[in-house]
């Protein structure tokens, strides 16, 4: 068979969503069983494209069980607080059956750091990080780079060969390391996983990654992947992005910052014509975007569940803009960086199961169940590939735009009332603003029926113009409707 590996990694840039599905939800720290149920009960029926599962492999147990212990692998056995291999396989089956793809957050850069003496992982395997022995893989000292710390974050070689946060750094140029990583990834592909978020990509040499990715299997056709389809790859690369866009997609982190500034009124969006250049964003077909993720939630003061109004505006803008693959996090509430996901006294993670009022169990945020998210998903699916047109903005930073003649959205991030007659592109008639609709309970179970409009009615005249009214003190601060 000819080597089908292309120079631009295009075969790794397809998310393989089922038809009429869109977007990825990072189910941060959700156990497999509960993700499976959520795929069936909510994510599939609402048209979400896929879920990103937190790291799945046996990890070092850290006192207090901080969420980040999952980022310290000890072996490639699937057994952690999120569940075991049987549960993992079951989740893949059920999510796919519900029309939702599964992507796994994989750690190829490092292994667990040392603790007190010999470590015992969540699957019972032993490891001796001080002397670089991980017998359950197995890895031994020659599989790692010589120990050094990253001191200068602008120095590429150091970044890639020294330790990130003191974590023993795998040498991906070694045949044994490559074999183990390829085997582990192929094993997941054979189980029906649709792709990977590659953790800490900029801490690895892109040439090594390219070799590893080129050895990945095709996705199995039993799960309705087309023939010769390759896994979707999106890399966590904050540095030297352009070196990674030829391998797969890259998460465009500048997007988070830009959107938080726009929605908090710190930047006025003048137009969308040069959006990518203006804000230094990578090309559309290379990008995965989000408003926040588990790191930025804790590290930066960007938008998150903690800032409800602009956060919802940000997600809406993300889904309304035809840029990259949209991703969002479904997270848990926290006060301190280290906090464990909601757990019981036996340290088992608590079922987020939505209660009868539609809200999730205490401290599970369930952002993916926000009413406005659900409606924006429908908006995005109904405007399909239509281009942005008739962008409008003013000196207050109020703005709006159409998606072809199919949909219109407007935002008022400012502290000034907005009442403007705009060209909204859709045919004359009356439309339902999907955002002002009652929020009964925030994550309510009540779905908008096609016949009823819970929100404001917008009247579009013969010239395709309508009055768009968003008071400064509006509880949502944006308006959207579609034909
Ligand atoms: C990532 N991207 O490159 C993840 O998105 C990020 O969440 C991971 O760090 C990091 N790479 C390594 O996979 C997380 C936590 C860190 C945590 C690390 C390892 O954000 O805080 O470090 O996982 O568990 C923790 C301590 C450090 C300590 C380290 C080693 O916070 O102080 O040096 O463990 O013991
Ligand atoms: Ca490295």
């Amino acid at each position: 068979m000819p080597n089908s590996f292309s120079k631009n990694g295009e075969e790794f840039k397809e998310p393989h969503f089922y038809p009429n599905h869109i977007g990825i939800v990072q189910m941060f720290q959700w156990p497999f069983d509960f993700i499976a149920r959520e795929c069936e009960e909510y994510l599939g029926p609402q048209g979400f494209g896929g879920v990103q599962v937190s790291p799945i492999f046996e990890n070092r147990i850290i006192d207090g069980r901080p969420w980040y212990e999952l980022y310290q692998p000890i072996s490639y056995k699937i057994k952690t607080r999120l569940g075991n291999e049987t549960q993992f396989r079951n989740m893949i089956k059920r999510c796919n059956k519900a029309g939702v793809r599964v992507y796994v957050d994989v750690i190829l850069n490092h292994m667990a750091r040392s603790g007190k003496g010999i470590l015992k992982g969540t699957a019972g395997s032993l490891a001796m990080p001080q002397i670089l022995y991980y017998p359950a893989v197995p890895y031994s000292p020659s599989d790692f780079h010589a120990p050094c710390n990253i001191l200068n974050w602008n120095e590429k070689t150091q970044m890639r060969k020294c330790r990130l946060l003191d974590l023993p750094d795998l040498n991906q140029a070694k045949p044994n390391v490559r074999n183990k990583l390829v085997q582990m990834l192929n094993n997941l592909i054979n189980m029906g996983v649709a792709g990977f978020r590659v953790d800490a990509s900029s801490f690895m040499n892109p040439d090594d990654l390219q070799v590893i990715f080129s050895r990945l299997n095709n996705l199995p056709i039993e799960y309705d992947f087309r023939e010769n389809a390759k896994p979707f790859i999106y890399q966590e690369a904050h540095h030297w992005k352009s070196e990674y866009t030829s391998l797969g997609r890259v998460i465009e982190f500048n997007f988070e910052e830009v959107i938080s500034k726009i929605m908090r009124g710190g930047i006025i969006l003048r137009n969308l014509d040069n959006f990518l250049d203006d804000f230094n964003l990578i090309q559309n077909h290379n990008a995965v975007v989000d408003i926040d993720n588990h790191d930025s939630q804790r590290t930066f003061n960007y938008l998150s569940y903690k800032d409800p109004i602009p956060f919802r505006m940000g997600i809406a803008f993300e889904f309304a803009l035809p840029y990259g693959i949209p991703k969002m996090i479904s997270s848990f509430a926290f006060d301190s960086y280290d906090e464990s996901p909601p757990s019981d006294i036996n340290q088992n993670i608590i079922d987020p199961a939505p209660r009868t009022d539609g809200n999730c169990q205490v401290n599970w945020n369930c952002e993916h169940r926000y009413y406005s998210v659900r409606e924006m998903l429908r908006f995005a699916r109904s405007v399909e590939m239509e281009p942005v047109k008739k962008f409008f903005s003013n000196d207050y930073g109020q703005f709006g735009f159409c998606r072809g003649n199919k949909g219109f959205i407007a935002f008022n991030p400012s502290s000034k009332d907005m009442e403007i007659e705009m060209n909204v592109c859709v045919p004359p008639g009356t439309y339902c603003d999907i955002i002002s609709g009652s929020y009964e309970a925030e994550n309510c179970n009540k779905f908008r029926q096609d016949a009823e409009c819970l929100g404001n009615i917008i009247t579009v005249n013969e010239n395709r113009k309508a009055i768009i009214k968003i008071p400064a003190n509006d509880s949502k601060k944006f308006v959207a409707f579609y034909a």
Side-chain angles (χ1 to χ4, degrees), residues 101-220:
R101 295 305 194 185
V102 176
Y103 313 101
V104 177
D105 190 353
V106 289
I107 298 156
L108 315 182
N109 180 61
H110 56 261
M111 297 298 285
R113 209 192 97 158
S114 54
K116 295 171 214 121
I118 295 176
L119 298 184
K120 196 166 165 192
T122 49
S125 308
L126 303 180
M128 287 147 272
Q130 295 94 331
I131 51 169
L132 302 173
Y133 274 105
Y134 299 84
V137 179
Y139 285 136
S140 57
S142 63
D143 293 317
F144 293 85
H145 287 124
C148 51
N149 288 314
I150 299 173
L151 300 173
N152 181 351
W153 289 62
N154 293 315
E155 220 272 281
K156 224 190 266 181
T157 317
Q158 221 182 88
M159 282 275 286
R160 291 175 180 163
K161 292 192 170 173
C162 292
R163 293 180 170 188
L164 164 65
L165 300 167
D166 237 350
L167 299 154
D169 202 55
L170 285 167
N171 182 348
Q172 294 83 9
K174 295 278 174 127
N176 181 54
V177 175
R178 288 181 177 176
N179 291 343
K180 289 292 180 298
L181 295 177
V182 168
Q183 208 176 67
M184 171 271 272
L185 296 168
N186 278 337
N187 192 20
L188 298 180
I189 289 171
N190 298 344
M191 290 182 196
V193 157
F196 308 104
R197 170 201 185 258
V198 181
D199 184 69
S201 291
S202 33
F203 297 89
M204 294 178 278
N205 186 333
D207 297 336
D208 294 334
L209 289 178
Q210 169 147 6
V211 173
I212 291 168
F213 299 160
S214 73
R215 290 172 55 188
L216 296 181
N217 291 348
N218 292 337
L219 299 174

Side-chain angles (χ1 to χ4, degrees), residues 60 62 67-72 105 107 109-110 112-114 164-167 197-203 236 238 293-295 298-299 337-338:
R60 169 187 162 202
I62 300 178
W67 60 272
Y68 59 69
E69 67 172 36
L70 290 174
Y71 287 89
Q72 299 203 29
D105 190 353
I107 298 156
N109 180 61
H110 56 261
R113 209 192 97 158
S114 54
L164 164 65
L165 300 167
D166 237 350
L167 299 154
R197 170 201 185 258
V198 181
D199 184 69
S201 291
S202 33
F203 297 89
E236 195 218 6
H238 294 267
N293 62 54
H294 65 285
D295 288 325
R298 286 168 177 72
T299 314
Y337 185 91
D338 289 358

